[in-house]
Amino acid sequence: GAGVSQSPSNKVTEKGKDVELRCDPISGHTALYWYRQSLGQGLEFLIYFQGNSAPDKSGLPSDRFSAERTGGSVSTLTIQRTQQEDSAVYLCASSPRTGDYTFGSGTRLTVV
Amino acid sequence: AQSVTQLGSHVSVSEGALVLLRCNYSSSVPPYLFWYVQYPNQGLQLLLKYTTGATLVKGINGFEAEFKKSETSFHLTKPSAHMSDAAEYFCAVTYSSASKIIFGSGTRLSIRP
Protein backbone atom coordinates (compact mmCIF):
# COMPACT_ATOMS: atom_id res chain seq x y z
CA GLY A 1 0.00 0.00 0.00
CA ALA A 2 0.87 3.65 -0.16
CA GLY A 3 1.37 4.00 3.57
CA VAL A 4 1.40 2.12 6.86
CA SER A 5 -2.14 1.18 7.81
CA GLN A 6 -3.22 0.50 11.38
CA SER A 7 -6.53 -0.85 12.56
CA PRO A 8 -8.65 -0.16 14.39
CA SER A 9 -8.01 3.57 14.66
CA ASN A 10 -9.78 3.63 18.01
CA LYS A 11 -10.50 0.83 20.46
CA VAL A 12 -12.33 1.01 23.76
CA THR A 13 -12.17 -2.15 25.83
CA GLU A 14 -13.06 -3.23 29.31
CA LYS A 15 -10.36 -3.94 31.85
CA GLY A 16 -9.38 -7.60 31.71
CA LYS A 17 -10.29 -8.14 28.07
CA ASP A 18 -7.78 -9.08 25.37
CA VAL A 19 -7.19 -6.80 22.38
CA GLU A 20 -5.47 -7.21 19.02
CA LEU A 21 -3.98 -4.30 17.12
CA ARG A 22 -3.08 -4.69 13.48
CA CYS A 23 -0.40 -3.11 11.34
CA ASP A 24 -0.13 -3.35 7.56
CA PRO A 25 3.32 -2.08 6.56
CA ILE A 26 4.34 -0.65 3.24
CA SER A 27 4.77 -3.45 0.74
CA GLY A 28 8.39 -4.60 0.56
CA HIS A 29 9.45 -3.05 3.87
CA THR A 30 11.47 -5.64 5.73
CA ALA A 31 11.54 -3.97 9.12
CA LEU A 32 8.51 -3.26 11.31
CA TYR A 33 8.38 -1.49 14.67
CA TRP A 34 5.81 -1.02 17.41
CA TYR A 35 5.86 1.97 19.73
CA ARG A 36 3.56 3.18 22.49
CA GLN A 37 2.78 6.82 23.15
CA SER A 38 1.08 7.59 26.44
CA LEU A 39 -0.75 10.87 27.03
CA GLY A 40 1.71 13.75 27.07
CA GLN A 41 4.74 11.49 26.83
CA GLY A 42 7.25 10.47 24.23
CA LEU A 43 7.42 7.30 22.24
CA GLU A 44 8.29 4.08 24.01
CA PHE A 45 9.79 1.31 21.90
CA LEU A 46 8.04 -2.03 22.23
CA ILE A 47 9.32 -4.50 19.62
CA TYR A 48 11.08 -4.65 16.27
CA PHE A 49 10.69 -7.22 13.49
CA GLN A 50 13.12 -7.99 10.70
CA GLY A 51 11.12 -10.18 8.37
CA ASN A 52 9.12 -12.52 10.59
CA SER A 53 11.61 -12.66 13.43
CA ALA A 54 11.89 -10.26 16.35
CA PRO A 55 15.55 -9.56 17.14
CA ASP A 56 14.59 -6.94 19.70
CA LYS A 57 11.55 -7.31 21.93
CA SER A 58 13.15 -5.58 24.89
CA GLY A 59 10.46 -2.94 25.17
CA LEU A 60 7.47 -5.17 25.78
CA PRO A 61 6.28 -4.04 29.24
CA SER A 62 5.10 -7.41 30.52
CA ASP A 63 4.23 -10.93 29.47
CA ARG A 64 0.70 -9.71 28.76
CA PHE A 65 2.11 -8.13 25.60
CA SER A 66 3.03 -10.19 22.55
CA ALA A 67 3.42 -9.58 18.84
CA GLU A 68 3.83 -11.58 15.71
CA ARG A 69 4.46 -10.95 12.07
CA THR A 70 3.49 -13.32 9.30
CA GLY A 71 4.64 -13.52 5.69
CA GLY A 72 7.02 -10.66 6.29
CA SER A 73 4.04 -8.35 6.13
CA VAL A 74 1.15 -7.86 8.56
CA SER A 75 1.87 -7.66 12.27
CA THR A 76 -0.45 -8.08 15.21
CA LEU A 77 0.19 -6.72 18.69
CA THR A 78 -1.84 -8.55 21.33
CA ILE A 79 -2.46 -7.30 24.84
CA GLN A 80 -3.97 -9.83 27.19
CA ARG A 81 -5.96 -8.98 30.32
CA THR A 82 -5.81 -5.26 29.58
CA GLN A 83 -5.20 -2.81 32.41
CA GLN A 84 -5.98 0.88 32.58
CA GLU A 85 -2.29 1.73 32.33
CA ASP A 86 -2.29 0.12 28.89
CA SER A 87 -4.34 3.06 27.59
CA ALA A 88 -2.19 4.81 25.00
CA VAL A 89 -1.70 5.33 21.30
CA TYR A 90 0.06 2.38 19.71
CA LEU A 91 2.11 3.35 16.69
CA CYS A 92 3.53 1.09 14.02
CA ALA A 93 6.31 1.98 11.60
CA SER A 94 7.93 0.15 8.73
CA SER A 95 11.22 0.61 6.97
CA PRO A 96 13.09 -0.74 3.99
CA ARG A 97 16.75 -1.59 4.47
CA THR A 98 17.71 1.98 3.60
CA GLY A 99 16.25 3.30 6.82
CA ASP A 100 13.35 5.53 5.78
CA TYR A 101 10.84 4.96 8.55
CA THR A 102 7.17 5.54 7.82
CA PHE A 103 4.67 5.65 10.67
CA GLY A 104 1.02 4.76 10.66
CA SER A 105 -1.60 6.99 12.25
CA GLY A 106 -1.82 4.74 15.30
CA THR A 107 -4.46 2.93 17.30
CA ARG A 108 -5.84 4.82 20.28
CA LEU A 109 -6.55 2.24 22.98
CA THR A 110 -8.73 3.16 25.93
CA VAL A 111 -9.19 0.67 28.75
CA VAL A 112 -12.20 1.42 30.94
CA ALA B 1 23.82 2.88 24.69
CA GLN B 2 21.97 5.45 22.68
CA SER B 3 19.85 8.24 24.04
CA VAL B 4 18.35 11.52 22.97
CA THR B 5 17.77 14.62 25.08
CA GLN B 6 15.47 17.38 23.96
CA LEU B 7 15.93 20.57 25.94
CA GLY B 8 12.62 22.21 26.71
CA SER B 9 9.36 20.34 26.75
CA HIS B 10 7.56 23.46 25.54
CA VAL B 11 8.82 26.27 23.32
CA SER B 12 6.76 29.32 22.41
CA VAL B 13 7.74 31.79 19.70
CA SER B 14 6.02 34.62 17.90
CA GLU B 15 4.85 34.23 14.34
CA GLY B 16 7.73 35.21 12.06
CA ALA B 17 10.38 34.59 14.71
CA LEU B 18 13.22 32.08 14.57
CA VAL B 19 12.38 28.56 15.70
CA LEU B 20 15.14 26.67 17.52
CA LEU B 21 14.46 23.24 19.00
CA ARG B 22 17.40 21.64 20.73
CA CYS B 23 18.47 18.01 20.56
CA ASN B 24 21.55 16.30 21.93
CA TYR B 25 22.32 12.66 21.41
CA SER B 26 24.51 10.00 22.87
CA SER B 27 25.77 7.21 20.64
CA SER B 28 28.86 5.05 20.70
CA VAL B 29 28.79 4.66 16.93
CA PRO B 30 28.06 7.10 14.10
CA PRO B 31 24.39 7.94 14.45
CA TYR B 32 21.51 8.31 12.09
CA LEU B 33 19.49 11.30 13.32
CA PHE B 34 15.91 12.29 12.65
CA TRP B 35 13.36 14.95 13.40
CA TYR B 36 9.70 14.02 13.29
CA VAL B 37 6.64 16.22 13.67
CA GLN B 38 3.31 15.16 15.12
CA TYR B 39 0.22 17.27 14.61
CA PRO B 40 -2.70 16.79 17.01
CA ASN B 41 -4.37 13.38 16.68
CA GLN B 42 -2.07 12.34 13.86
CA GLY B 43 0.88 10.01 13.40
CA LEU B 44 4.50 11.04 13.06
CA GLN B 45 5.77 12.64 9.89
CA LEU B 46 9.44 12.72 8.98
CA LEU B 47 10.77 16.29 8.74
CA LEU B 48 14.37 15.48 7.91
CA LYS B 49 17.13 13.00 8.54
CA TYR B 50 20.91 12.81 8.69
CA THR B 51 22.67 9.59 7.74
CA THR B 52 26.01 10.47 6.15
CA GLY B 53 27.46 13.26 4.05
CA ALA B 54 26.45 16.90 4.33
CA THR B 55 25.97 17.92 7.93
CA LEU B 56 23.38 20.60 7.16
CA VAL B 57 20.17 18.83 6.30
CA LYS B 58 17.14 20.52 4.79
CA GLY B 59 13.69 19.14 5.33
CA ILE B 60 10.09 19.87 4.57
CA ASN B 61 8.20 23.04 5.51
CA GLY B 62 11.37 25.15 5.62
CA PHE B 63 13.01 23.31 8.50
CA GLU B 64 16.67 22.39 8.64
CA ALA B 65 19.05 20.82 11.12
CA GLU B 66 22.80 20.66 11.46
CA PHE B 67 24.69 17.62 12.69
CA LYS B 68 27.54 18.76 14.94
CA LYS B 69 29.60 15.78 15.99
CA SER B 70 31.83 17.80 18.34
CA GLU B 71 28.76 19.01 20.24
CA THR B 72 26.75 15.79 19.80
CA SER B 73 23.88 17.99 18.71
CA PHE B 74 21.24 18.01 15.99
CA HIS B 75 19.24 21.18 16.61
CA LEU B 76 16.21 21.97 14.45
CA THR B 77 15.71 25.48 13.09
CA LYS B 78 13.36 27.46 10.91
CA PRO B 79 14.01 31.13 10.11
CA SER B 80 10.41 32.31 10.33
CA ALA B 81 7.66 30.54 12.27
CA HIS B 82 4.18 30.07 10.84
CA MET B 83 1.05 29.38 12.81
CA SER B 84 0.83 26.02 11.04
CA ASP B 85 4.12 24.96 12.66
CA ALA B 86 2.41 24.48 16.02
CA ALA B 87 2.90 20.78 16.81
CA GLU B 88 4.97 18.30 18.81
CA TYR B 89 8.50 17.72 17.54
CA PHE B 90 10.55 14.63 18.26
CA CYS B 91 14.27 14.13 17.80
CA ALA B 92 15.38 10.54 17.31
CA VAL B 93 18.54 8.48 16.87
CA THR B 94 19.50 5.07 15.63
CA TYR B 95 22.79 3.53 14.55
CA SER B 96 21.74 1.52 11.53
CA SER B 97 18.98 1.35 9.02
CA ALA B 98 17.61 -1.81 10.59
CA SER B 99 17.64 -0.93 14.26
CA LYS B 100 15.08 0.56 16.57
CA ILE B 101 14.84 4.33 16.75
CA ILE B 102 15.24 5.93 20.15
CA PHE B 103 13.04 9.01 20.53
CA GLY B 104 13.44 12.06 22.70
CA SER B 105 10.62 13.08 24.98
CA GLY B 106 9.37 15.68 22.53
CA THR B 107 9.07 19.46 22.41
CA ARG B 108 5.71 21.12 21.99
CA LEU B 109 6.02 24.19 19.79
CA SER B 110 3.45 26.97 20.20
CA ILE B 111 3.23 29.97 17.89
CA ARG B 112 1.98 33.32 19.23
CA PRO B 113 0.12 35.59 16.79
Side-chain angles (χ1 to χ4, degrees):
Chain A
V4 177
S5 177
Q6 291 188 247
S7 60
S9 55
N10 280 284
K11 175 72 176 179
V12 180
T13 189
E14 292 182 353
K15 178 181 174 181
K17 300 284 189 181
D18 297 353
V19 295
E20 286 189 351
L21 312 180
R22 177 186 169 105
C23 174
D24 275 284
I26 292 174
S27 178
H29 280 194
T30 57
L32 186 148
Y33 310 81
W34 283 98
Y35 288 83
R36 178 168 71 174
Q37 186 176 27
S38 301
L39 186 63
Q41 299 188 19
L43 281 82
E44 174 188 9
F45 168 78
L46 298 178
I47 187 170
Y48 148 59
F49 287 93
Q50 183 64 36
N52 291 336
S53 63
D56 189 347
K57 55 179 75 171
S58 62
L60 294 177
S62 74
D63 59 8
R64 295 187 295 107
F65 287 71
S66 63
E68 66 175 10
R69 189 180 184 194
T70 55
S73 181
V74 173
S75 177
T76 302
L77 176 68
T78 301
I79 308 173
Q80 296 178 309
R81 305 181 302 281
T82 52
Q83 304 294 315
Q84 288 186 329
E85 60 263 29
D86 299 334
S87 296
V89 176
Y90 290 82
L91 292 165
C92 174
S94 70
S95 169
R97 293 187 65 83
T98 56
D100 282 344
Y101 304 88
T102 302
F103 280 82
S105 297
T107 293
R108 182 176 299 278
L109 176 66
T110 304
V111 182
V112 298
Chain B
Q2 298 173 312
S3 65
V4 175
T5 302
Q6 291 184 242
L7 297 176
S9 59
H10 182 208
V11 171
S12 179
V13 302
S14 297
E15 190 174 18
L18 171 72
V19 174
L20 171 60
L21 304 183
R22 299 179 185 274
C23 173
N24 288 88
Y25 70 90
S26 171
S27 177
S28 58
V29 298
Y32 292 12
L33 294 159
F34 307 83
W35 276 99
Y36 285 87
V37 61
Q38 186 177 36
Y39 298 101
N41 299 314
Q42 294 187 27
L44 275 73
Q45 180 182 7
L46 180 67
L47 273 179
L48 50 79
K49 65 177 180 179
Y50 168 80
T51 53
T52 59
T55 56
L56 181 61
V57 181
K58 295 186 184 297
I60 61 172
N61 302 338
F63 284 93
E64 62 182 36
E66 186 171 9
F67 169 59
K68 292 187 176 181
K69 184 178 179 180
S70 61
E71 299 177 6
T72 60
S73 69
F74 192 58
H75 301 330
L76 182 72
T77 61
K78 182 174 180 177
S80 177
H82 295 167
M83 296 300 293
S84 60
D85 294 327
E88 187 93 16
Y89 292 80
F90 294 93
C91 182
V93 64
T94 187
Y95 63 87
S96 83
S97 62
S99 299
K100 67 186 179 188
I101 313 173
I102 304 299
F103 285 87
S105 54
T107 297
R108 182 164 61 90
L109 176 64
S110 299
I111 312 297
R112 301 187 301 271

